[in-house]
């Protein structure tokens, strides 16, 4: 009944991580560059399965399919029928879209690298749960960027994230979230369609 503490939030994340096996949701993401005033939005559906299987189906700004098995990742654009294969880790480190989508099931360990502060919290709602906004800054370089997570104490899932890194702001929002629904492994395997132009690293070709 009292105010939520950081310790309670960390415990809530640990419980969420332990219980999560799979997740499906609708997502929207906006990337804004303050220096130029430009912004780009993406929205679509996602499927996730532990430990790091991911499938994204973009609706806007154009149709695109992203499929990763945790080691390799494919990006296919129907408009050009081009399929690009990359190492999953490379995509995760360089793609703005990945910054708000790839910590499912790993939030509790993720928090250990950050200074965590409760920025705001609401009064308990009709269901007794609070809306909490966390502010996270890296322990080693706190001035470089800030990540904000908005969640409910009902399930401790961050349904909104906002990352500010330099002049870039990346906001993500998740709706229609479903936990632990059956997601076949086949959803995370990709075969380029007939006639597709395929681009893949040399080391990937040698292993095929």
């Amino acid at each position: 009944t009292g105010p939520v503490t950081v310790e309670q939030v960390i415990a809530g994340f640990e419980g969420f991580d332990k219980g999560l096996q799979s997740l499906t949701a609708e997502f929207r993401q906006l990337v804004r560059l303050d220096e130029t005033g430009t912004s780009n939005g993406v929205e679509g559906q996602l499927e996730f399965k532990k430990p790091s299987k991911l499938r994204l189906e973009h609706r806007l700004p154009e149709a695109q399919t992203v499929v990763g098995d945790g080691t390799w990742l494919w990006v296919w654009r129907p408009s050009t029928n081009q399929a690009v294969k990359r190492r999953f880790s490379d995509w995760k480190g360089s793609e703005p879209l990945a910054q708000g989508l790839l910590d499912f099931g790993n939030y509790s360990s993720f928090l250990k690298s950050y200074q965590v502060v409760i920025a705001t919290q609401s009064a308990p709602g009709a269901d007794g749960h609070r809306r909490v906004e966390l502010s996270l800054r890296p322990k080693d370089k706190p001035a470089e960027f800030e990540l904000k997570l908005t969640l409910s104490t009902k399930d401790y899932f961050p349904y909104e994230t906002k990352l500010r890194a330099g002049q870039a702001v990346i906001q993500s929002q998740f709706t229609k979230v479903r936990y632990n629904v059956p997601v076949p492994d086949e959803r995370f395997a990709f075969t380029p369609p007939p006639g597709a132009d395929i681009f893949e690293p040399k080391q990937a070709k040698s292993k095929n």
Side-chain angles (χ1 to χ4, degrees):
T1 58
V4 177
T5 65
V6 171
E7 290 73 21
Q8 286 175 310
V9 171
I10 293 175
F13 275 135
E14 289 175 346
F16 177 84
D17 291 346
K18 184 177 180 180
L20 182 69
Q21 296 301 319
S22 66
L23 179 150
T24 65
E26 300 276 325
F27 73 89
R28 304 176 102 183
Q29 190 171 67
L30 180 68
V31 179
R32 187 179 75 248
L33 300 178
D34 291 341
E35 191 172 35
T36 61
T38 58
S39 61
N40 295 289
V42 178
E43 66 177 64
Q45 297 175 309
L46 71 88
E47 296 167 273
F48 169 82
K49 190 172 185 178
K50 273 187 172 179
S52 55
K53 293 182 172 68
L54 182 72
R55 185 183 184 98
L56 307 174
E57 296 285 356
H58 296 191
R59 290 191 301 268
L60 296 174
E62 65 174 316
Q64 179 174 276
T65 299
V66 178
V67 182
D69 62 6
T71 301
W72 294 101
L73 178 134
W74 285 94
V75 179
W76 176 59
R77 293 184 177 179
S79 62
T80 59
N81 201 19
Q82 291 182 335
V84 179
K85 186 177 185 179
R86 302 180 61 185
R87 286 197 174 276
F88 194 93
S89 57
D90 292 342
W91 179 82
K92 182 178 179 180
S94 63
E95 174 59 47
L97 178 64
Q99 304 308 312
L101 297 177
L102 293 182
D103 294 303
F104 303 132
N106 193 40
Y107 287 111
S108 56
S109 59
F110 176 74
L111 292 181
K112 295 177 182 178
S113 302
Y114 291 83
Q115 299 173 357
V116 183
V117 175
I118 294 179
T120 64
Q121 61 178 291
S122 69
D127 59 0
H129 294 288
R130 296 175 184 262
R131 178 182 181 274
V132 179
E133 181 184 67
L134 300 180
S135 173
L136 287 72
R137 293 182 182 273
K139 290 181 178 180
D140 55 344
K141 299 177 180 179
E144 289 200 357
F145 71 88
E146 179 185 30
L147 175 64
K148 290 187 175 181
L149 305 177
T150 302
L151 55 94
S152 168
T153 56
K154 181 178 181 179
D155 54 15
Y156 288 92
F157 174 74
Y159 57 86
E160 290 182 8
T161 70
K162 182 177 181 180
L163 172 64
R164 177 176 288 277
Q167 297 295 314
V169 178
I170 304 169
Q171 295 176 273
S172 304
Q173 182 181 51
F174 305 96
T175 57
K176 299 181 181 179
V177 181
R178 300 174 65 202
Y179 309 121
N180 298 334
V181 295
V183 184
D185 285 337
E186 290 77 12
R187 295 291 292 165
F188 307 103
F190 181 80
T191 300
D197 292 324
I198 300 173
F199 303 89
E200 56 183 315
K202 292 181 179 180
Q203 62 268 34
K205 291 180 180 179
S206 64
K207 293 181 181 181
N208 288 342

